[in-house]
């Protein structure tokens, strides 16, 4: 896991996503589809259908576990200079407060995200399903300038 302070001004405090809140959105559809295949296979008395369902359930579980590990390894950093988070291609970037042009709330696969658009860098999405949500909001309000568009999206 990363430590706070590796990028001064951008990760004074680290906040991790709370995968328990929205992580199941990735697992349950795979289990439901796999179970449906299994029921159809049993009804048709076809021995290959249960194997197909196990593959679907296995892929969904592997995808869920991958996302779970990524959530634990990719915190959002908040500091006096700005945010440090992943952009849309999963590369960590420093996002200065003064360069944030717009901030919009949206849902991706049912999970809330904040889409930030900048002057110089590619837009980035910040997960809003943070373990310490009150602490995250307090850190943003403490460090962000009063005219930062992100402040309006925290409520």
């Amino acid at each position: 896991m990363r430590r706070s302070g590796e990028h001064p001004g951008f990760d004074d405090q680290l906040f991790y996503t709370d995968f328990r809140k929205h992580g199941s959105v990735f697992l349950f559809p795979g289990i439901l589809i796999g179970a449906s295949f299994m029921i159809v296979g049993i009804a048709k008395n076809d021995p290959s259908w249960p194997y197909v369902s196990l593959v679907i359930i296995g892929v969904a579980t592997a995808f869920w576990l991958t996302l779970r590990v990524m959530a634990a390894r990719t915190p959002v950093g908040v500091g006096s200079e700005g945010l440090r988070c992943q952009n849309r291609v999963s590369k960590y970037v420093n996002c200065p407060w003064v360069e944030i042009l717009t901030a919009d709330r949206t849902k991706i696969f049912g999970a809330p995200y904040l889409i930030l658009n900048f002057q110089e860098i590619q837009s980035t999405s910040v997960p809003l399903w943070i373990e310490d949500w009150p602490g995250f909001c307090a850190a943003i309000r403490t460090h962000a300038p009063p005219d930062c568009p992100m402040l309006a999206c925290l409520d």
Side-chain angles (χ1 to χ4, degrees), residues 23 25-35 50-68:
V25 101
F26 300 106
L27 181 61
F28 289 138
I31 290 175
L32 291 175
I33 292 169
Y51 295 114
V52 171
S53 66
L54 290 176
V55 167
I56 292 171
I57 292 171
V59 167
T61 303
F63 184 63
W64 180 82
L65 286 172
T66 301
L67 290 174
R68 178 82 172 124

Side-chain angles (χ1 to χ4, degrees), residues 45-94:
N45 202 16
D46 185 349
S48 65
W49 280 68
Y51 295 114
V52 171
S53 66
L54 290 176
V55 167
I56 292 171
I57 292 171
V59 167
T61 303
F63 184 63
W64 180 82
L65 286 172
T66 301
L67 290 174
R68 178 82 172 124
V69 168
M70 285 177 56
R73 303 271 310 151
T74 55
V76 177
V78 178
S80 58
E81 300 295 319
L83 296 173
R84 180 156 176 83
C85 54
Q86 289 185 327
N87 64 10
R88 293 187 182 206
V89 292
S90 297
K91 180 182 177 191
Y92 261 100
V93 292
N94 293 334

Side-chain angles (χ1 to χ4, degrees), residues 113-128:
Y113 280 85
L114 187 63
I115 306 298
L116 302 176
N117 295 303
F118 299 92
Q119 294 172 0
E120 298 293 324
I121 59 176
Q122 185 180 23
S123 66
T124 188
S125 55
V126 178
L128 294 182

Side-chain angles (χ1 to χ4, degrees), residues 15-21 68 129-134:
F15 297 93
Y16 293 88
T17 53
D18 187 359
F19 204 78
R20 293 170 295 178
K21 286 185 180 176
R68 178 82 172 124
W129 33 298
I130 302 285
E131 285 179 352
D132 181 16
W133 178 250

